[in-house]
DNA sequence: GACCCGAAGTATCTTATGGAAACCAAGTTA
DNA sequence: TAACTTGGTTTCCATAAGATACTTCGGGTC
């Protein structure tokens, strides 16, 4: 449980903010890709397949701004830009990995809870939104 | 780091989905409140202060559907509805607490990275969106 | 009868998120 | 001169999230 004594409402919102960022559509996938080592923009795009350039740029910018990813430009033509995890980025994704393990272990329980709920509440409007 | 061998793209999206849910505006605050013990709807609303009834209902429903929160109705008038964390809910929020600790410990580093980035990139458009 | 309570549901609005496609700039190749 | 490359940016659009205000319901009080 999140201890109420050390974590006030402000800290809670801070954590939510970080979770929202990490929980967006692409961040985890990008970080997982960069976990294998530094990669170039186009290599990431190829690897992620369905991501648009805009979203890849935006997600990388956010990661860079928060200090999780380092961006290194080599001024040649055509330009080369390499992205790599910073030490802070690698450090963050240890607790994230713990959460990943948990999700992996309990995915079935969540699915079961959802099916049970949906069976109890046949009205699909409850599930929407 | 998230190990690529045990966690494929599908699992990664599963984790992202969970993180998005937990990372939304109210979930963490509600769970923190329920961590102190079961509470009624109106008590939660009072405690959270600025939340609307609609968002409180919706967030609680989502938590209930995923099996993290239990909803107990006492059919008196006016109706009494009590919300409590399930064992699954309490279990989930151990890895979440680890992440909270991390955030608490590294908030300064993230702030510093942001300020450094903003100083390097004076164009505010990069930060928007 | 008029009004209030708890726990919602509805309706409408604004904002945020994400996607598709076009455009751009520098230099290189054909 | 035209086309192509990388690493973007810009514009437009659809959907989702969240805020605000109003309605509902049954049973209680004034």
């Amino acid at each position: 449980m999140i201890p109420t004594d050390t974590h006030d409402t402000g800290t809670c919102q801070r954590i939510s903010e970080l979770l929202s960022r990490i929980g967006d559509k692409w961040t985890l996938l990008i970080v997982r890709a960069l976990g294998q080592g530094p990669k170039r923009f186009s290599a990431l795009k190829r690897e992620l397949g369905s991501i648009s350039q805009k979203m890849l740029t935006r997600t990388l910018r956010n990661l860079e701004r928060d200090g999780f990813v380092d961006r290194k430009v080599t001024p040649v033509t055509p330009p080369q830009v390499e992205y790599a995890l910073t030490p802070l980025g690698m450090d963050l994704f240890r607790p994230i990995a713990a959460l990943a393990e948990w999700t992996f272990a309990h995915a079935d329980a969540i699915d079961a809870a959802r099916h049970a709920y949906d069976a109890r509440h046949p009205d699909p409007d409850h599930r929407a939104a």
Side-chain angles (χ1 to χ4, degrees), chain A:
Chain A
M1 201 51 40
I2 295 156
T4 5
D5 51 332
T6 58
H7 297 112
D8 56 10
T9 301
T11 307
C12 227
Q13 286 172 346
R14 188 84 208 235
I15 299 163
S16 291
E17 182 203 325
L18 186 68
L19 286 168
S20 303
R21 163 100 328 138
I22 297 167
D24 73 4
K25 189 167 181 184
W26 298 109
T27 297
L28 259 193
L29 292 166
I30 290 175
V31 166
R32 189 176 65 120
L34 289 180
Q36 302 166 354
K39 288 188 182 167
R40 292 181 54 187
F41 185 89
S42 46
L44 282 171
K45 180 148 171 40
R46 258 193 309 278
E47 189 169 338
L48 297 174
S50 57
I51 194 172
S52 69
Q53 287 180 314
K54 183 180 118 179
M55 288 315 298
L56 182 52
T57 301
R58 224 153 75 169
T59 310
L60 286 169
R61 283 291 180 291
N62 286 330
L63 285 168
E64 188 195 354
R65 185 162 108 94
D66 284 351
F68 299 141
V69 156
D70 181 55
R71 180 174 186 265
K72 194 171 64 185
V73 182
T74 308
V76 295
T77 48
Q80 266 194 13
V81 185
E82 200 176 63
Y83 295 91
L85 288 180
T86 63
L88 186 66
M90 300 193 194
D91 195 39
L92 166 60
F93 285 88
R94 241 176 332 112
I96 296 291
L99 201 57
E101 297 294 341
W102 191 95
T103 306
F104 197 66
H106 295 80
D108 291 348
I110 296 174
D111 283 339
R114 280 184 193 170
H115 288 130
Y117 181 93
D118 293 351
R120 281 199 307 275
H121 304 270
D123 185 356
D125 293 348
H126 288 316
R127 261 116 61 205

